[in-house]
Amino acid sequence: MCNLYRMTKNKDEVAAWFDAVNELGGANFGAEVYPGYPGAVVAGGTLKQMNWGFPLVMKGKNGQPLKPKPVNNARTDKLDSFFWRYSFEERRCLIPVTAWAEAEGPKGGKTRSWLSRPDAELFACAGVWRDSEEWGECYSMVMTDAGGLAKEVHSRMPVLLVKDDWGQWTDGSPEDALALCRPWEGELVLDRTKVPWSGKGQVGLL
């Protein structure tokens, strides 16, 4: 499950890579993207800013509204649920990524392990998006069963898309898109670091 990823290319490089119209303007992003924070997304042929995570409205014990929780990962077997269905059927996007991280190690001592593709400095993860009252346009990554080296660090991983499949994901039927939600069969690079794992804010998977 991805709760942290890198996107280290500049916006002009990303727009050219995805042949997308750059609508980021003066938006600035950190090289590391956390749930609840803004990231760059390719949707409808444009590169734009959205918030990472669909807002999940929470209530306290007395029914009082709480701060929404960003649900930043969507399980492939839950894409037909009410929470995800309409976004998956109508609003699929590409998430530009250079690497994603998983937490490894004992509780209280977890460190960052980064995964990337050796054949691509920049690649696309499958995503869905929608407009929200709380955060405006927001997106979530789609998770599938882990494949290859990714299985060493987690049971799930983002759906990685090769360039030839970008159009099938964004513009194909829901059935065609779902067919792409499979474990990655290509090579991966695993970089285990000693950097302590530290997330920002709340994260979620539905």
Side-chain angles (χ1 to χ4, degrees):
M1 184 173 68
C2 178
N3 292 325
L4 168 65
Y5 69 90
R6 285 178 179 155
M7 213 292 285
T8 56
K9 301 295 183 182
N10 67 53
K11 53 194 174 185
D12 291 329
E13 287 180 286
V14 177
W17 188 278
F18 288 92
D19 193 23
V21 177
N22 188 348
E23 292 189 352
L24 286 177
N28 291 309
F29 306 99
E32 296 181 349
V33 184
Y34 295 85
Y37 287 72
V41 174
V42 178
T46 63
L47 178 66
K48 58 176 66 179
Q49 174 180 309
M50 296 187 188
N51 193 79
W52 187 22
F54 282 22
L56 180 63
V57 179
M58 311 289 287
K59 290 187 177 181
K61 293 181 179 179
N62 298 319
Q64 74 275 23
L66 301 176
K67 183 179 179 180
K69 175 182 178 181
V71 184
N72 54 290
N73 291 315
R75 288 172 41 173
T76 54
D77 59 330
K78 299 293 185 180
L79 289 173
D80 61 350
S81 69
F82 180 78
F83 194 82
W84 302 115
R85 183 190 312 145
Y86 299 104
S87 295
F88 174 64
E89 291 179 353
E90 303 172 9
R91 295 178 297 276
R92 297 186 294 271
C93 61
L94 304 174
I95 305 170
V97 174
T98 52
W100 80 93
E102 299 290 358
E104 282 195 289
K107 185 176 181 180
K110 292 185 181 295
T111 54
R112 299 180 180 187
S113 293
W114 290 95
L115 291 129
S116 59
R117 283 177 50 183
D119 61 328
E121 295 181 359
L122 176 66
F123 53 92
C125 291
V128 294
W129 72 277
R130 71 175 179 88
D131 203 4
S132 71
E133 294 182 1
E134 295 84 357
W135 302 325
E137 291 182 334
C138 53
Y139 67 100
S140 180
M141 277 189 185
V142 177
M143 298 287 117
T144 189
D145 294 333
L149 282 177
K151 290 190 292 187
E152 294 188 15
V153 294
H154 204 282
S155 60
R156 297 184 184 276
M157 67 177 292
V159 172
L160 307 187
L161 301 170
V162 298
K163 187 173 183 178
D164 288 346
D165 291 335
W166 292 352
Q168 181 176 331
W169 176 257
T170 58
D171 302 320
S173 68
E175 293 76 18
D176 289 340
L178 192 61
L180 298 174
C181 297
R182 54 181 180 259
W184 179 247
E185 296 179 353
E187 290 188 36
L188 294 171
V189 174
L190 174 58
D191 178 22
R192 288 187 165 101
T193 75
K194 295 182 179 179
V195 178
W197 178 269
S198 59
K200 291 184 178 181
Q202 295 177 306
V203 299
L205 169 71
L206 279 180

